[in-house]
Amino acid sequence: MSHHRHTVAVVVFDAVQLLDVTGPVEVFTTANRYGAHYDVRVVSPTGADVVTSSGLVVGVNGPLSSLPRRIGTLLVPGRSDWRAAVGDTDLVDSITHLTGRAARVASVCAGAFVLAATGTLDGRRAATHWELAPDLAAAFPQVRVESDPVFVRDGHVVTSAGVTAGIDLALALVEEDWGAEVARSVARQLVVFMARPGGQAQFSARMAPGQPRHLAVRRVMDHVGADPAAEHTLDSLAAVGGVSTRHLGRLFRTEIGMPPGQYVESIRVEAAQALLENGSGTVEEVAQQAGFGSSESLRRVFQHTLGVSPTAYRARFRSTAGSRRIVPA
């Protein structure tokens, strides 16, 4: 636990995702109220204020050149158009220079692309927003992309998933620097999970694969989507697609990235999620309606794919609409 002032440099640039910046900044500055000593500096390449993704202007403390020689934590947020960020050679060069001066380097969401462009992530495990994970793996093959964790640490480099995961990441860093009690106080103050249960999968279940090119695959997907609870065997799906079971398996692996059986299960999980979010049926009823047969197998699949039980999932994602009944005066 270090008790000297620890400089956190947050590099911002035009079109940066607002919450990638404000989430971690809020965590570090709140930690100072509970005994931490962070010197948080929000800096831009030129020292000019930046216009964020939401159009809100963020004022900065100065240019990159105003930072001290030694930086405790370098934090790189992202912008959803990661190609534009990676294509900004001045930005990438400046951040490359800063990575050499930082004891710890971190990124939030699409900020992983900028870190990857500096070479910092070569040969390392890294996380980014679930939707961008395939892009990161394709654009930077030397990076070992992990699509489910909320954040990944590899040596002195920490990368986090989408947007609010920057808060999880910052809390973990506060805990490392100042202990669990300080981090817990910050989490309580900001009303967030100290450690978010489960991975990103629970947020990414609507990851509909892109439109498949092959008609047989489209037919099978439509068929399963229309009635997830029906009995979908490999033979019955192949018959719907009008191809052999072997050919269907090959087509699904190529176009969807998973075998037909796994696809059926993912659609059933989505159906169960929707029923848990919006319905009032018991877990047993949800299991029947979504095609899992028993609440036990629904529980097993939820625990395996989402990292949470159906009951915990319902508690977390339940629509609040039903609970907002207006009580007459």
Side-chain angles (χ1 to χ4, degrees), residues 76-270:
V76 182
R79 61 179 286 185
S80 51
D81 180 1
W82 60 265
R83 285 179 184 84
V86 166
D88 182 342
T89 47
D90 287 348
L91 176 70
V92 173
D93 289 349
S94 314
I95 290 176
T96 306
H97 178 61
L98 291 177
T99 57
R101 291 160 46 190
R104 187 166 61 193
V105 178
S107 69
V108 181
C109 197
F113 287 87
V114 179
L115 273 194
T118 69
T120 306
L121 300 182
D122 286 359
R124 292 186 190 275
R125 292 160 47 243
T128 188
H129 191 288
W130 58 265
E131 207 170 18
L132 298 175
D135 286 358
L136 184 62
F140 299 98
Q142 312 89 314
V143 180
R144 285 151 52 203
V145 180
E146 302 202 356
S147 53
D148 189 48
V150 171
F151 59 87
V152 168
R153 151 170 256 125
D154 191 326
H156 73 297
V157 180
V158 199
T159 49
S160 71
V163 212
T164 58
I167 294 172
D168 301 73
L169 167 87
L171 278 171
L173 299 182
V174 168
E175 180 172 9
E176 186 179 301
D177 298 339
W178 298 93
E181 206 33 62
V182 173
R184 246 194 303 278
S185 301
V186 176
R188 267 200 301 269
Q189 179 65 36
L190 298 180
V191 198
V192 290
F193 288 122
M194 170 79 174
R196 188 193 299 255
Q200 289 194 78
Q202 53 186 304
F203 304 98
S204 63
R206 309 291 192 266
M207 271 198 302
Q211 248 325 328
R213 291 182 300 280
H214 202 286
L215 183 61
V217 177
R218 279 215 296 277
R219 273 204 200 113
V220 170
M221 286 170 72
D222 291 344
H223 177 72
V224 174
D227 187 6
E231 194 183 340
H232 300 297
T233 63
L234 193 51
D235 286 337
S236 71
L237 295 177
V240 168
V243 291
S244 72
T245 53
R246 267 200 36 215
H247 190 44
L248 185 69
R250 248 196 320 272
L251 287 171
F252 258 79
R253 277 191 192 82
T254 310
E255 300 221 358
I256 311 300
M258 61 178 87
Q262 200 182 331
Y263 177 74
V264 171
E265 185 173 279
S266 73
I267 293 301
R268 286 175 174 163
V269 168
E270 278 198 22

Side-chain angles (χ1 to χ4, degrees), residues 20-67:
D20 285 9
V21 178
T22 52
V25 165
E26 198 68 50
V27 170
F28 292 122
T29 52
T30 302
N32 285 344
R33 288 163 49 184
Y34 297 100
H37 293 296
Y38 289 112
D39 177 14
V40 181
R41 312 269 190 99
V42 178
V43 290
S44 68
T46 62
D49 294 349
V50 301
V51 181
T52 63
S53 56
S54 53
L56 203 63
V57 175
V58 163
V60 303
N61 300 118
L64 299 184
S65 56
S66 66
L67 289 171

